[in-house]
Amino acid sequence: MTRIPLFAASCLMAAFLAVPASAQDQVTVPLPDVSGLSQDEAERLIAALAQINVITSNCPGYEITDGEWTLLTGTGDRLAAQLGLDPTTYEQRYYGPAFELLDDPEACERIGPRARPVIEDLVKMGGATE
């Protein structure tokens, strides 16, 4: 895994925390309001978002649109800020374990179907995919 220097990663994270979020191809979407989540709820959601991001990016049949990707990653970044996580801790605590899922041959089928319901929940919370 490529490591980004902490300062550069901090700048990147700050850019992602701006609302609305946008993907590399300039897709911009509104993000949900996650400020009312308890710490436990926020931690569960950020873990699920990291897993879904990794699986939908790496497993055939579970691809998502750029708008959906932007919603997932933007919400994850917002939660990371809410939880007070620096980029390194965010990567180690949530994305490290999510990438380890790719070693499990059943992970795609186990996690992939969760993507659509989580995206729909984020939309119900005020986010969007367009």
Side-chain angles (χ1 to χ4, degrees):
M1 183 181 319
T2 303
R3 297 275 181 196
I4 300 172
L6 185 56
F7 177 74
S10 296
C11 292
L12 258 169
M13 188 166 183
F16 286 128
L17 293 176
V19 175
S22 62
Q24 288 179 331
D25 66 354
Q26 303 305 311
V27 172
T28 302
V29 302
L31 297 177
D33 179 7
V34 293
S35 63
L37 297 178
S38 69
Q39 182 167 340
D40 287 343
E41 291 168 328
E43 289 174 352
R44 280 192 302 272
L45 182 54
I46 197 173
L49 295 175
Q51 291 175 3
I52 291 167
N53 184 9
V54 168
I55 294 300
T56 58
S57 296
N58 292 283
C59 295
Y62 296 105
E63 298 86 358
I64 58 175
T65 68
D66 288 342
E68 292 167 332
W69 180 86
T70 303
L71 177 63
L72 291 173
T73 58
T75 304
D77 291 341
R78 180 174 275 182
L79 287 166
Q82 182 173 315
L83 292 167
L85 302 174
D86 63 77
T88 301
T89 302
Y90 180 26
E91 177 186 329
Q92 290 172 346
R93 191 175 294 167
Y94 297 103
Y95 274 95
F99 276 105
E100 288 175 9
L101 288 172
L102 296 175
D103 294 334
D104 177 356
E106 297 175 13
C108 292
E109 289 75 28
R110 189 176 66 250
I111 307 295
R114 292 176 34 205
R116 192 69 40 218
V118 168
I119 291 167
E120 290 170 1
D121 286 346
L122 295 176
V123 170
K124 289 176 189 171
M125 294 169 64
T129 59
E130 297 180 351

